[in-house]
Amino acid sequence: MNSDEKWMRVALDLAPQGRFETSPNPIVGACVVRGGKLAGKGWHRRFGGPHAEIEALREAGPRARRAALYVTLEPCSSWGKTPPCVDAIIRSGVQEVIFAICDPNPQHAGRATALLQKAGIQVRTGPLAREAEKQNEAFFKWIKTGLPFVTLKMAQTLDGKIATRTRRSRWISSAESRAFVQDLRRSQDAVLVGTNTLLWDNPRLTVRSLKAEKPWRVVLDPRAEMNARAKIFRGPQTVMLALDEKKLAHAARRPWPKPVTLLPVSSRKGRLDLKRLLQKLGALGAAKLLVEGGGETAWSFLAGGLVDRVIWITAPKFFGGRTAKTSVEGEGVALPSQALQLKSWSVFPCGSDMILEGRF
């Protein structure tokens, strides 16, 4: 590992500390290095707050002069919630800036390089670029396509059941896995379930100890039939109802226990246009969506090619039961050769369970 990779690794390790508060902005880490020693470090802590570069430069203070600044993503060069980082970098007196990867927005990509070089600052790019892009894969997808990065999460038994034949599902996974899911939810912009999950499990979909509006709670409810007394209305997180556009007037007249954001989309044979729903969520600022529905919802997203990542929690248990619900249902494929195949995956233990994380 060369010097650039060493210090970029430090910046990459800092970035995830902001994973719960920054979305839809990316997570970014930065460090200031002078004379081969760390002079300052920082990460983007929350949406609307100072960026990683500013945090690192503030900690470094006068030591930033003639130093090197390592950043996991190209510094911003335009006004947003905060002033352009490029201006602060130029004022700091750093000698060179090294960032792992360019801004994915084509309107901004490379602009910081030009401004910094014009100010006499050396610029280099590329160290650990692949790792930096994966670290912000959701942000990159959202910027490039306008769609959120979709994670499909499921907790099942070894025989693929998500509930017993009497529809009982608590608890399939271990306490450690449930804590893992809490952290997973907290890192998302929205969590989605279908009406069957809402009917049988009546989940809150909240994140314990979190008093923010996100993650939004989204329910697929084509006919706007959701029970107004459902637990999903408890807690501070925003509730969104995805429904058939023909039912918009009906839903708008219903007396909900708290304000509900209605997301009307077209439907066919009672099934909502999920691609259009994702476009609407993306336009509202959801860069990351967690799908926690049952087998029908899971298949709808999988069959539509809308899933980017799966999180499959498998408990060492058997429920059995020919009528017990399974993790993926729907129509399914006709031939083994038509199976939806993960291209990469990893498996790790969590409590008594095994968790598979995979990508298509």
Side-chain angles (χ1 to χ4, degrees):
M1 181 182 292
N2 60 36
S3 177
D4 279 352
E5 290 176 343
K6 170 188 173 181
W7 292 114
M8 191 60 72
R9 169 62 58 200
V10 172
L12 284 168
D13 289 345
L14 288 166
Q17 295 185 63
R19 66 188 182 277
F20 297 132
E21 305 287 344
T22 59
S23 193
N25 279 357
I27 59 171
V28 181
C31 61
V32 177
V33 179
R34 181 173 176 178
K37 296 182 179 179
L38 183 66
K41 63 183 184 299
W43 61 92
H44 186 29
R45 297 173 185 269
R46 59 181 176 80
F47 179 72
H51 289 186
E53 304 93 314
I54 305 303
E55 296 277 9
L57 290 170
R58 284 177 179 172
E59 185 174 293
R63 292 175 296 173
R65 297 195 66 82
R66 297 185 301 279
L69 173 65
Y70 288 83
V71 193
T72 57
L73 184 66
E74 180 180 0
C76 66
S77 54
S78 60
W79 274 84
K81 293 285 185 180
T82 59
C85 289
V86 166
D87 294 350
I89 293 171
I90 293 172
R91 289 195 303 270
S92 73
V94 298
Q95 184 171 294
E96 59 180 341
V97 174
I98 304 96
F99 55 87
I101 195 164
C102 290
D103 190 322
N105 189 330
Q107 295 181 342
H108 301 154
R111 190 164 182 263
T113 298
L115 292 171
L116 292 170
Q117 289 177 335
K118 184 177 180 181
I121 297 173
Q122 300 175 37
V123 179
R124 286 183 283 121
T125 64
L128 305 183
R130 183 174 296 180
E131 293 181 48
E133 182 171 1
K134 184 176 180 181
Q135 193 174 71
N136 273 305
E137 58 188 345
F139 174 72
F140 273 61
K141 180 189 177 184
W142 180 62
I143 287 292
K144 291 177 179 179
T145 69
L147 301 174
F149 183 90
V150 177
T151 298
L152 174 62
K153 166 254 161 186
M154 195 66 67
Q156 65 171 31
T157 60
L158 274 174
D159 53 343
K161 306 298 185 182
I162 59 173
T164 68
R165 59 184 173 81
T166 59
R167 302 278 186 154
R168 300 297 180 87
S169 60
R170 296 183 181 176
W171 293 105
I172 291 175
S173 56
S174 65
E176 292 85 351
S177 291
R178 297 198 295 275
F180 169 84
V181 171
Q182 283 286 307
D183 274 353
L184 179 62
R185 283 182 186 170
R186 189 180 170 195
S187 68
Q188 304 294 304
D189 294 312
V191 181
L192 180 148
V193 295
T195 48
N196 288 336
T197 297
L198 196 72
L199 174 65
W200 290 103
D201 292 347
N202 196 16
R204 294 173 187 250
L205 296 181
T206 53
V207 177
R208 290 188 291 271
S209 76
L210 187 64
K211 297 182 179 180
E213 292 185 358
K214 283 187 177 182
W216 304 328
R217 295 172 286 181
V218 184
V219 181
L220 298 179
D221 187 10
R223 295 182 292 275
E225 296 174 328
M226 183 167 56
N227 187 338
R229 293 189 295 275
K231 290 180 181 178
I232 202 169
F233 289 108
R234 303 177 189 177
Q237 282 81 42
T238 297
V239 176
M240 296 184 168
L241 184 65
L243 71 158
D244 187 327
E245 57 192 7
K246 298 184 181 67
K247 296 292 183 178
L248 178 59
H250 162 69
R253 289 193 300 266
R254 285 196 61 185
W256 303 106
K258 64 180 290 184
V260 173
T261 300
L262 301 177
L263 300 173
V265 295
S266 59
S267 69
R268 183 179 181 185
K269 295 182 179 179
R271 295 190 175 276
L272 298 176
D273 184 338
L274 296 179
K275 178 71 173 291
R276 180 59 182 142
L277 173 60
L278 293 183
Q279 290 171 341
K280 290 202 168 192
L281 289 171
L284 289 171
K288 293 177 285 187
L289 173 68
L290 178 64
V291 176
E292 290 199 49
E296 294 291 336
T297 298
W299 177 251
S300 294
F301 275 87
L302 287 168
L306 303 174
V307 177
D308 298 292
R309 175 178 67 162
V310 296
I311 300 287
W312 232 250
I313 303 170
T314 303
K317 303 174 182 178
F318 297 90
F319 281 174
R322 64 178 60 89
T323 60
K325 304 298 287 183
T326 57
S327 53
V328 182
E329 297 185 335
E331 183 178 354
V333 300
L335 301 171
S337 60
Q338 297 171 333
L340 307 180
Q341 179 72 47
L342 293 174
K343 294 299 175 69
S344 63
W345 66 88
S346 60
V347 179
F348 57 93
C350 188
S352 59
D353 307 324
M354 296 300 293
I355 299 181
L356 179 146
E357 179 179 1
R359 286 168 173 76
F360 287 103

